[in-house]
């Protein structure tokens, strides 16, 4: 993929399993790495919501919590009104490459994944990912992330509100500085 025209635009690569300190074998992660992992886990969903995402889809992909959550995030984009579907818009930024046994019917698997996630609201994504057949290695990860999904629209709207207020404050400060400078010149 990185050698394709779309892939050549990518300047940096983040691979979650390599970039977040894993605990493999169990109990091998240091206290410092465990603290870093916990911090990253709280924020990792922002990466999938704002960057280009390469989905390496195998047959187990659609049964796993993290992969489905990441797919949904990669098919959304942030607006002042909350999350909106990115598929079919200029904001589309996911790429699906079917691997292993999924490669035999790649069009079918790609279509299924997009149809499953592209237009789901946060409430629908939460309901789907909450089900017991969506598996996760560490149930605590799922328990931590599920409430964030429901709150994601409000979080996105709040972030846009913060940016808007900051820009308004900067504009007001610039206008005041310009008025003072003009007063000094006259």
């Amino acid at each position: 993929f990185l050698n394709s025209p779309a892939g050549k635009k990518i300047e940096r690569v983040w691979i979650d399993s390599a970039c977040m300190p894993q605990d493999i074998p169990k109990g091998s992660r240091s206290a410092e790495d465990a603290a870093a992992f916990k911090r990253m886990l709280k924020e990792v969903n922002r990466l999938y919501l704002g960057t280009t995402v390469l989905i390496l889809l195998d047959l187990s992909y659609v049964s796993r919590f993290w992969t489905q959550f990441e797919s949904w995030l990669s098919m959304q984009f942030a607006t002042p009104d909350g999350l909106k579907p990115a598929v079919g818009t200029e904001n589309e930024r996911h790429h699906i490459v079917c691997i292993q046994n999924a490669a035999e019917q790649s069009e079918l698997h790609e279509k299924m994944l997009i149809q499953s996630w592209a237009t789901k609201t946060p409430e629908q994504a939460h309901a789907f990912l909450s089900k017991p057949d969506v598996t996760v290695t560490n149930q605590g990860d799922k328990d931590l992330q599920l409430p964030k999904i429901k709150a994601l629209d409000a979080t996105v709207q709040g972030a846009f509100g913060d940016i808007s207020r900051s820009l308004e404050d900067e504009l007001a400060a610039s206008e005041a500085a310009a008025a003072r400078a003009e007063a000094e010149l006259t």
Side-chain angles (χ1 to χ4, degrees):
F1 175 79
L2 292 175
N3 288 325
S4 72
K8 288 185 188 271
K9 296 177 186 174
I10 296 179
E11 296 177 18
R12 294 181 180 93
V13 176
W14 187 85
I15 301 171
D16 58 1
S17 64
C19 295
M20 294 178 67
Q22 303 298 306
D23 195 21
I24 301 171
K26 187 87 171 143
S28 64
R29 189 168 36 201
S30 70
E32 183 180 332
D33 281 350
F37 183 85
K38 191 174 183 178
R39 276 192 319 276
M40 290 180 214
L41 194 60
K42 289 180 183 177
E43 306 298 335
V44 70
N45 57 332
R46 294 179 188 204
L47 286 173
Y48 294 96
L49 190 54
T51 61
T52 299
V53 176
L54 174 60
I55 296 169
L56 299 175
L57 192 152
D58 66 8
L59 294 181
S60 71
Y61 193 94
V62 295
S63 68
R64 298 191 325 262
F65 174 79
W66 278 111
T67 53
Q68 292 186 89
F69 181 30
E70 293 158 1
S71 290
W72 174 67
L73 289 169
S74 75
M75 294 181 197
Q76 307 300 307
F77 73 100
T79 75
D81 297 321
L83 297 178
K84 301 291 181 207
V87 174
T89 74
E90 65 185 16
N91 298 298
E92 186 171 337
R93 53 184 207 295
H94 73 278
H95 302 275
I96 301 171
V97 175
C98 291
I99 60 172
Q100 299 176 21
N101 289 328
E104 291 179 20
Q105 296 181 337
S106 61
E107 285 183 37
L108 173 74
H109 294 295
E110 286 180 43
K111 184 176 180 182
M112 182 267 315
L113 189 67
I114 292 168
Q115 286 180 343
S116 294
W117 291 111
T119 60
K120 277 196 176 19
T121 65
E123 294 78 18
Q124 292 168 327
H126 180 275
F128 188 95
L129 292 169
S130 295
K131 295 192 173 137
D133 65 338
V134 178
T135 62
V136 65
T137 303
N138 180 351
Q139 184 63 39
D141 290 354
K142 191 172 178 178
D143 295 341
L144 177 69
Q145 297 301 319
L146 282 171
K148 288 170 61 174
I149 295 169
K150 277 189 167 179
L152 209 46
D153 258 345
T155 301
V156 167
Q157 291 169 4
F160 272 95
D162 291 346
I163 291 168
S164 178
R165 284 186 293 281
S166 177
L167 290 173
E168 289 170 5
D169 291 348
E170 286 181 31
L171 179 60
S174 294
E175 289 172 346
R180 283 191 303 276
E182 187 175 324
E184 289 176 11
L185 293 174
T186 56

